[in-house]
């Protein structure tokens, strides 16, 4: 009795070498596991650390400006809650970004040190949702602070001192860099979640 799988064998494996056309480029095949920023890899951990560093620089530049408390978009002096970090949208988003990226980096360092894969972990869902929310809030904070810096720097003549405009533009730029980095993490993590 002949089985179907025997009928499908046309040649004996290994009898003939595989033929390749030298005129056609052969690209190496890759899989989703080859991505360097997959959660739990050294590339993803370094991306998270760079996110924290950019958020800290943005936070530090914003706080170090001498007239930080006079601009209500950055700091609300008439707030019923007093002058706290939550009144400043950019400061609040950078603090949120630092806390989120540090906590995810801690989980990724643990999985990297102990050889655990996060590809099929339920934590991947939390990473995607957290990265998405953090990316939206960080982008909103960067755009709001950049808008105020442009408003004061270009539209209100004479209101821009060298300390004020340069520092707020740098803080907005670093917040935008933070958003680009967190959005990169979101895209790769979402891609891994969608293709697993």
């Amino acid at each position: 009795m002949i089985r179907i799988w025997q009928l499908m064998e046309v040649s004996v494996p290994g009898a003939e070498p595989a033929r390749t056309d030298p005129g056609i480029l052969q690209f190496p095949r890759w899989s989703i596991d080859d991505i360097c920023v997959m959660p739990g890899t050294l590339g993803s951990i370094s991306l998270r650390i760079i996110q924290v560093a950019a958020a800290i620089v943005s936070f530090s530049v914003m706080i170090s400006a001498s007239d930080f408390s006079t601009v209500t978009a950055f700091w609300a002096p008439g707030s019923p809650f007093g002058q706290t970090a939550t009144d400043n949208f950019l400061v609040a988003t950078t603090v949120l970004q630092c806390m989120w990226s540090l906590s995810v980096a801690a989980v990724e360092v643990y999985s990297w040190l102990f050889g655990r894969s996060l590809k099929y972990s339920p934590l991947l869902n939390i990473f995607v949702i957290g990265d998405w929310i953090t990316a939206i809030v960080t982008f909103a904070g960067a755009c709001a602070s950049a808008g105020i810096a442009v408003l004061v720097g270009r539209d209100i003549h004479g209101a821009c001192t060298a300390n004020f405009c340069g520092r707020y533009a740098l803080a907005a730029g670093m917040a935008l860099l933070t958003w680009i980095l967190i959005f990169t993490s979101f895209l790769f993590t979402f891609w891994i979640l969608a293709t697993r």
Side-chain angles (χ1 to χ4, degrees):
M1 181 174 181
I2 298 177
R3 294 190 173 93
I4 294 176
W5 62 271
Q6 290 174 336
L7 292 174
M8 294 176 61
E9 279 189 44
V10 178
S11 65
V12 178
E16 286 184 37
R19 294 183 210 172
T20 58
D21 187 8
I24 299 175
L25 289 175
Q26 299 288 328
F27 293 106
R29 297 196 45 94
W30 59 275
S31 68
I32 195 73
D33 297 329
D34 297 333
I35 295 176
C36 64
V37 290
M38 188 171 130
T41 61
L42 195 57
S44 179
I45 294 168
S46 61
L47 185 64
R48 297 287 178 179
I49 299 300
I50 294 170
Q51 290 170 6
V52 171
I56 287 174
V57 168
S58 177
F59 175 78
S60 301
V61 168
M62 184 64 73
I63 294 296
S64 69
S66 62
D67 46 2
F68 170 71
S69 61
T70 61
V71 181
T72 57
F74 303 119
W75 189 276
S79 172
F81 303 109
Q83 290 184 341
T84 62
T86 57
D87 295 330
N88 181 339
F89 193 55
L90 183 63
V91 170
T93 59
T94 55
V95 168
L96 173 71
Q97 175 67 39
C98 285
M99 292 186 329
W100 172 253
S101 292
L102 280 176
S103 62
V104 173
V107 171
E108 289 182 356
V109 165
Y110 174 80
S111 71
W112 180 66
L113 287 176
F114 293 104
R116 310 244 189 247
S117 175
L118 293 175
K119 184 177 180 182
Y120 297 105
S121 174
L123 289 175
L124 205 60
N125 296 334
I126 296 171
F127 290 172
V128 167
I129 293 170
D131 283 346
W132 177 58
I133 291 171
T134 309
I136 289 172
V137 171
T138 303
F139 185 68
C143 288
S145 62
I148 293 300
V150 168
L151 171 75
V152 172
R154 292 186 183 165
D155 298 337
I156 303 173
H157 299 290
C160 181
T161 62
N163 181 19
F164 181 80
C165 291
R167 288 187 182 231
Y168 287 144
L170 178 63
M174 291 307 290
L176 190 62
L177 176 66
T178 305
W179 170 74
I180 290 169
L181 294 170
I182 191 71
F183 193 69
T184 303
S185 293
F186 164 73
L187 284 178
F188 281 112
T189 309
F190 182 71
W191 183 24
I192 291 167
L193 181 68
T195 59
R196 66 177 179 177

